[in-house]
PDB file of all heavy atoms in Angstrom:
ATOM      1  N   LEU A  31     199.474 125.065 -74.163  1.00 62.00           N
ATOM      2  CA  LEU A  31     200.829 124.884 -73.687  1.00 62.00           C
ATOM      3  C   LEU A  31     201.838 125.074 -74.813  1.00 62.00           C
ATOM      4  O   LEU A  31     202.894 125.699 -74.650  1.00 62.00           O
ATOM      5  CB  LEU A  31     200.981 123.504 -73.058  1.00 62.00           C
ATOM      6  CG  LEU A  31     202.348 123.174 -72.456  1.00 62.00           C
ATOM      7  CD1 LEU A  31     202.695 124.170 -71.345  1.00 62.00           C
ATOM      8  CD2 LEU A  31     202.371 121.742 -71.934  1.00 62.00           C
ATOM      9  N   THR A  32     201.511 124.563 -75.990  1.00 62.00           N
ATOM     10  CA  THR A  32     202.400 124.693 -77.143  1.00 62.00           C
ATOM     11  C   THR A  32     202.561 126.151 -77.546  1.00 62.00           C
ATOM     12  O   THR A  32     203.660 126.617 -77.856  1.00 62.00           O
ATOM     13  CB  THR A  32     201.845 123.882 -78.323  1.00 62.00           C
ATOM     14  OG1 THR A  32     201.691 122.521 -77.905  1.00 62.00           O
ATOM     15  CG2 THR A  32     202.762 123.960 -79.533  1.00 62.00           C
ATOM     16  N   LEU A  33     201.429 126.906 -77.533  1.00 61.00           N
ATOM     17  CA  LEU A  33     201.475 128.324 -77.898  1.00 61.00           C
ATOM     18  C   LEU A  33     202.344 129.123 -76.916  1.00 61.00           C
ATOM     19  O   LEU A  33     203.108 129.994 -77.304  1.00 61.00           O
ATOM     20  CB  LEU A  33     200.066 128.898 -77.934  1.00 61.00           C
ATOM     21  CG  LEU A  33     199.177 128.415 -79.094  1.00 61.00           C
ATOM     22  CD1 LEU A  33     197.744 128.925 -78.937  1.00 61.00           C
ATOM     23  CD2 LEU A  33     199.737 128.881 -80.445  1.00 61.00           C
ATOM     24  N   CYS A  34     202.222 128.829 -75.622  1.00 53.00           N
ATOM     25  CA  CYS A  34     203.019 129.536 -74.598  1.00 53.00           C
ATOM     26  C   CYS A  34     204.500 129.289 -74.766  1.00 53.00           C
ATOM     27  O   CYS A  34     205.329 130.200 -74.669  1.00 53.00           O
ATOM     28  CB  CYS A  34     202.570 129.107 -73.201  1.00 53.00           C
ATOM     29  SG  CYS A  34     200.946 129.751 -72.743  1.00 53.00           S
ATOM     30  N   LEU A  35     204.867 128.054 -75.022  1.00 55.00           N
ATOM     31  CA  LEU A  35     206.276 127.727 -75.222  1.00 55.00           C
ATOM     32  C   LEU A  35     206.851 128.420 -76.440  1.00 55.00           C
ATOM     33  O   LEU A  35     207.988 128.905 -76.435  1.00 55.00           O
ATOM     34  CB  LEU A  35     206.446 126.211 -75.339  1.00 55.00           C
ATOM     35  CG  LEU A  35     206.187 125.417 -74.057  1.00 55.00           C
ATOM     36  CD1 LEU A  35     206.234 123.924 -74.345  1.00 55.00           C
ATOM     37  CD2 LEU A  35     207.246 125.763 -73.010  1.00 55.00           C
ATOM     38  N   ALA A  36     206.039 128.512 -77.470  1.00 53.00           N
ATOM     39  CA  ALA A  36     206.502 129.175 -78.687  1.00 53.00           C
ATOM     40  C   ALA A  36     206.737 130.657 -78.446  1.00 53.00           C
ATOM     41  O   ALA A  36     207.690 131.261 -78.940  1.00 53.00           O
ATOM     42  CB  ALA A  36     205.472 128.968 -79.809  1.00 53.00           C
ATOM     43  N   LYS A  37     205.838 131.278 -77.649  1.00 52.00           N
ATOM     44  CA  LYS A  37     205.962 132.719 -77.347  1.00 52.00           C
ATOM     45  C   LYS A  37     207.224 133.016 -76.520  1.00 52.00           C
ATOM     46  O   LYS A  37     207.938 133.991 -76.741  1.00 52.00           O
ATOM     47  CB  LYS A  37     204.718 133.173 -76.589  1.00 52.00           C
ATOM     48  CG  LYS A  37     204.620 134.676 -76.454  1.00 52.00           C
ATOM     49  CD  LYS A  37     203.278 135.039 -75.826  1.00 52.00           C
ATOM     50  CE  LYS A  37     203.157 136.562 -75.737  1.00 52.00           C
ATOM     51  NZ  LYS A  37     201.865 136.956 -75.134  1.00 52.00           N
ATOM     52  N   ILE A  38     207.504 132.126 -75.570  1.00 48.00           N
ATOM     53  CA  ILE A  38     208.699 132.292 -74.723  1.00 48.00           C
ATOM     54  C   ILE A  38     209.965 132.191 -75.550  1.00 48.00           C
ATOM     55  O   ILE A  38     210.916 132.964 -75.391  1.00 48.00           O
ATOM     56  CB  ILE A  38     208.689 131.242 -73.606  1.00 48.00           C
ATOM     57  CG1 ILE A  38     207.565 131.569 -72.614  1.00 48.00           C
ATOM     58  CG2 ILE A  38     210.030 131.197 -72.875  1.00 48.00           C
ATOM     59  CD1 ILE A  38     207.311 130.474 -71.588  1.00 48.00           C
ATOM     60  N   GLU A  39     210.032 131.240 -76.468  1.00 50.00           N
ATOM     61  CA  GLU A  39     211.213 131.092 -77.313  1.00 50.00           C
ATOM     62  C   GLU A  39     211.416 132.314 -78.195  1.00 50.00           C
ATOM     63  O   GLU A  39     212.549 132.751 -78.456  1.00 50.00           O
ATOM     64  CB  GLU A  39     211.058 129.841 -78.187  1.00 50.00           C
ATOM     65  CG  GLU A  39     211.177 128.552 -77.386  1.00 50.00           C
ATOM     66  CD  GLU A  39     210.973 127.318 -78.268  1.00 50.00           C
ATOM     67  OE1 GLU A  39     210.721 127.504 -79.471  1.00 50.00           O
ATOM     68  OE2 GLU A  39     211.082 126.202 -77.737  1.00 50.00           O
ATOM     69  N   LEU A  40     210.302 132.927 -78.632  1.00 41.00           N
ATOM     70  CA  LEU A  40     210.394 134.106 -79.489  1.00 41.00           C
ATOM     71  C   LEU A  40     211.014 135.277 -78.721  1.00 41.00           C
ATOM     72  O   LEU A  40     211.891 135.971 -79.220  1.00 41.00           O
ATOM     73  CB  LEU A  40     209.007 134.473 -80.008  1.00 41.00           C
ATOM     74  CG  LEU A  40     208.933 135.725 -80.909  1.00 41.00           C
ATOM     75  CD1 LEU A  40     209.760 135.523 -82.176  1.00 41.00           C
ATOM     76  CD2 LEU A  40     207.470 136.032 -81.278  1.00 41.00           C
ATOM     77  N   LYS A  41     210.551 135.489 -77.474  1.00 45.00           N
ATOM     78  CA  LYS A  41     211.093 136.587 -76.662  1.00 45.00           C
ATOM     79  C   LYS A  41     212.579 136.373 -76.359  1.00 45.00           C
ATOM     80  O   LYS A  41     213.374 137.308 -76.356  1.00 45.00           O
ATOM     81  CB  LYS A  41     210.326 136.702 -75.349  1.00 45.00           C
ATOM     82  CG  LYS A  41     208.955 137.307 -75.530  1.00 45.00           C
ATOM     83  CD  LYS A  41     208.270 137.495 -74.167  1.00 45.00           C
ATOM     84  CE  LYS A  41     206.915 138.149 -74.343  1.00 45.00           C
ATOM     85  NZ  LYS A  41     206.254 138.363 -73.031  1.00 45.00           N
ATOM     86  N   ALA A  42     212.939 135.143 -76.089  1.00 42.00           N
ATOM     87  CA  ALA A  42     214.340 134.842 -75.792  1.00 42.00           C
ATOM     88  C   ALA A  42     215.226 135.159 -76.988  1.00 42.00           C
ATOM     89  O   ALA A  42     216.339 135.663 -76.849  1.00 42.00           O
ATOM     90  CB  ALA A  42     214.475 133.368 -75.401  1.00 42.00           C
ATOM     91  N   SER A  43     214.750 134.886 -78.147  1.00 43.00           N
ATOM     92  CA  SER A  43     215.542 135.163 -79.337  1.00 43.00           C
ATOM     93  C   SER A  43     215.689 136.653 -79.573  1.00 43.00           C
ATOM     94  O   SER A  43     216.706 137.131 -80.059  1.00 43.00           O
ATOM     95  CB  SER A  43     214.887 134.492 -80.566  1.00 43.00           C
ATOM     96  OG  SER A  43     213.607 135.068 -80.807  1.00 43.00           O
ATOM     97  N   ILE A  44     214.630 137.430 -79.193  1.00 37.00           N
ATOM     98  CA  ILE A  44     214.690 138.892 -79.377  1.00 37.00           C
ATOM     99  C   ILE A  44     215.714 139.493 -78.427  1.00 37.00           C
ATOM    100  O   ILE A  44     216.548 140.309 -78.807  1.00 37.00           O
ATOM    101  CB  ILE A  44     213.303 139.513 -79.149  1.00 37.00           C
ATOM    102  CG1 ILE A  44     212.346 139.095 -80.273  1.00 37.00           C
ATOM    103  CG2 ILE A  44     213.408 141.035 -79.080  1.00 37.00           C
ATOM    104  CD1 ILE A  44     210.906 139.503 -80.055  1.00 37.00           C
ATOM    105  N   PHE A  45     215.682 139.116 -77.116  1.00 38.00           N
ATOM    106  CA  PHE A  45     216.592 139.683 -76.108  1.00 38.00           C
ATOM    107  C   PHE A  45     218.028 139.220 -76.281  1.00 38.00           C
ATOM    108  O   PHE A  45     218.940 139.819 -75.741  1.00 38.00           O
ATOM    109  CB  PHE A  45     216.108 139.338 -74.694  1.00 38.00           C
ATOM    110  CG  PHE A  45     214.930 140.179 -74.271  1.00 38.00           C
ATOM    111  CD1 PHE A  45     213.680 139.601 -74.119  1.00 38.00           C
ATOM    112  CD2 PHE A  45     215.076 141.540 -74.038  1.00 38.00           C
ATOM    113  CE1 PHE A  45     212.607 140.373 -73.720  1.00 38.00           C
ATOM    114  CE2 PHE A  45     213.991 142.303 -73.637  1.00 38.00           C
ATOM    115  CZ  PHE A  45     212.744 141.730 -73.486  1.00 38.00           C
ATOM    116  N   SER A  46     218.229 138.144 -76.959  1.00 40.00           N
ATOM    117  CA  SER A  46     219.596 137.670 -77.177  1.00 40.00           C
ATOM    118  C   SER A  46     220.340 138.515 -78.205  1.00 40.00           C
ATOM    119  O   SER A  46     221.540 138.454 -78.334  1.00 40.00           O
ATOM    120  CB  SER A  46     219.597 136.199 -77.621  1.00 40.00           C
ATOM    121  OG  SER A  46     218.949 136.089 -78.870  1.00 40.00           O
ATOM    122  N   THR A  47     219.596 139.327 -78.980  1.00 38.00           N
ATOM    123  CA  THR A  47     220.208 140.188 -80.000  1.00 38.00           C
ATOM    124  C   THR A  47     220.865 141.375 -79.331  1.00 38.00           C
ATOM    125  O   THR A  47     220.286 142.010 -78.454  1.00 38.00           O
ATOM    126  CB  THR A  47     219.133 140.681 -80.986  1.00 38.00           C
ATOM    127  OG1 THR A  47     218.445 139.577 -81.521  1.00 38.00           O
ATOM    128  CG2 THR A  47     219.773 141.513 -82.099  1.00 38.00           C
ATOM    129  N   GLU A  48     222.098 141.822 -79.613  1.00 39.00           N
ATOM    130  CA  GLU A  48     222.826 142.948 -79.041  1.00 39.00           C
ATOM    131  C   GLU A  48     222.297 144.238 -79.651  1.00 39.00           C
ATOM    132  O   GLU A  48     222.430 144.497 -80.836  1.00 39.00           O
ATOM    133  CB  GLU A  48     224.326 142.844 -79.310  1.00 39.00           C
ATOM    134  CG  GLU A  48     224.981 141.733 -78.541  1.00 39.00           C
ATOM    135  CD  GLU A  48     226.476 141.734 -78.739  1.00 39.00           C
ATOM    136  OE1 GLU A  48     226.957 142.570 -79.523  1.00 39.00           O
ATOM    137  OE2 GLU A  48     227.138 140.901 -78.104  1.00 39.00           O
ATOM    138  N   VAL A  49     221.645 145.061 -78.814  1.00 34.00           N
ATOM    139  CA  VAL A  49     221.142 146.345 -79.299  1.00 34.00           C
ATOM    140  C   VAL A  49     222.293 147.316 -79.439  1.00 34.00           C
ATOM    141  O   VAL A  49     222.356 148.112 -80.349  1.00 34.00           O
ATOM    142  CB  VAL A  49     220.081 146.900 -78.326  1.00 34.00           C
ATOM    143  CG1 VAL A  49     219.576 148.251 -78.813  1.00 34.00           C
ATOM    144  CG2 VAL A  49     218.939 145.917 -78.202  1.00 34.00           C
ATOM    145  N   PHE A  50     223.266 147.311 -78.437  1.00 32.00           N
ATOM    146  CA  PHE A  50     224.434 148.177 -78.488  1.00 32.00           C
ATOM    147  C   PHE A  50     225.684 147.305 -78.523  1.00 32.00           C
ATOM    148  O   PHE A  50     225.719 146.266 -77.909  1.00 32.00           O
ATOM    149  CB  PHE A  50     224.491 149.074 -77.248  1.00 32.00           C
ATOM    150  CG  PHE A  50     223.285 149.955 -77.121  1.00 32.00           C
ATOM    151  CD1 PHE A  50     222.278 149.640 -76.230  1.00 32.00           C
ATOM    152  CD2 PHE A  50     223.167 151.087 -77.898  1.00 32.00           C
ATOM    153  CE1 PHE A  50     221.182 150.451 -76.096  1.00 32.00           C
ATOM    154  CE2 PHE A  50     222.065 151.895 -77.763  1.00 32.00           C
ATOM    155  CZ  PHE A  50     221.055 151.583 -76.882  1.00 32.00           C
ATOM    156  N   PRO A  51     226.696 147.754 -79.186  1.00 38.00           N
ATOM    157  CA  PRO A  51     227.957 146.985 -79.181  1.00 38.00           C
ATOM    158  C   PRO A  51     228.521 146.895 -77.794  1.00 38.00           C
ATOM    159  O   PRO A  51     228.442 147.853 -77.017  1.00 38.00           O
ATOM    160  CB  PRO A  51     228.867 147.831 -80.090  1.00 38.00           C
ATOM    161  CG  PRO A  51     227.958 148.703 -80.876  1.00 38.00           C
ATOM    162  CD  PRO A  51     226.759 148.938 -80.052  1.00 38.00           C
ATOM    163  N   ALA A  52     229.084 145.766 -77.464  1.00 38.00           N
ATOM    164  CA  ALA A  52     229.616 145.544 -76.112  1.00 38.00           C
ATOM    165  C   ALA A  52     230.739 146.504 -75.790  1.00 38.00           C
ATOM    166  O   ALA A  52     230.951 146.865 -74.644  1.00 38.00           O
ATOM    167  CB  ALA A  52     230.109 144.096 -75.991  1.00 38.00           C
ATOM    168  N   SER A  53     231.516 146.958 -76.756  1.00 37.00           N
ATOM    169  CA  SER A  53     232.649 147.834 -76.501  1.00 37.00           C
ATOM    170  C   SER A  53     232.221 149.244 -76.134  1.00 37.00           C
ATOM    171  O   SER A  53     232.967 149.998 -75.531  1.00 37.00           O
ATOM    172  CB  SER A  53     233.566 147.879 -77.734  1.00 37.00           C
ATOM    173  OG  SER A  53     232.830 148.357 -78.840  1.00 37.00           O
TER     174      SER A  53
END
Side-chain angles (χ1 to χ4, degrees):
L31 182 60
T32 303
L33 290 173
C34 288
L35 291 174
K37 191 174 182 180
I38 290 171
E39 289 178 359
L40 179 62
K41 286 184 178 181
S43 64
I44 292 172
F45 284 111
S46 64
T47 306
E48 290 185 357
V49 179
F50 300 102
S53 59

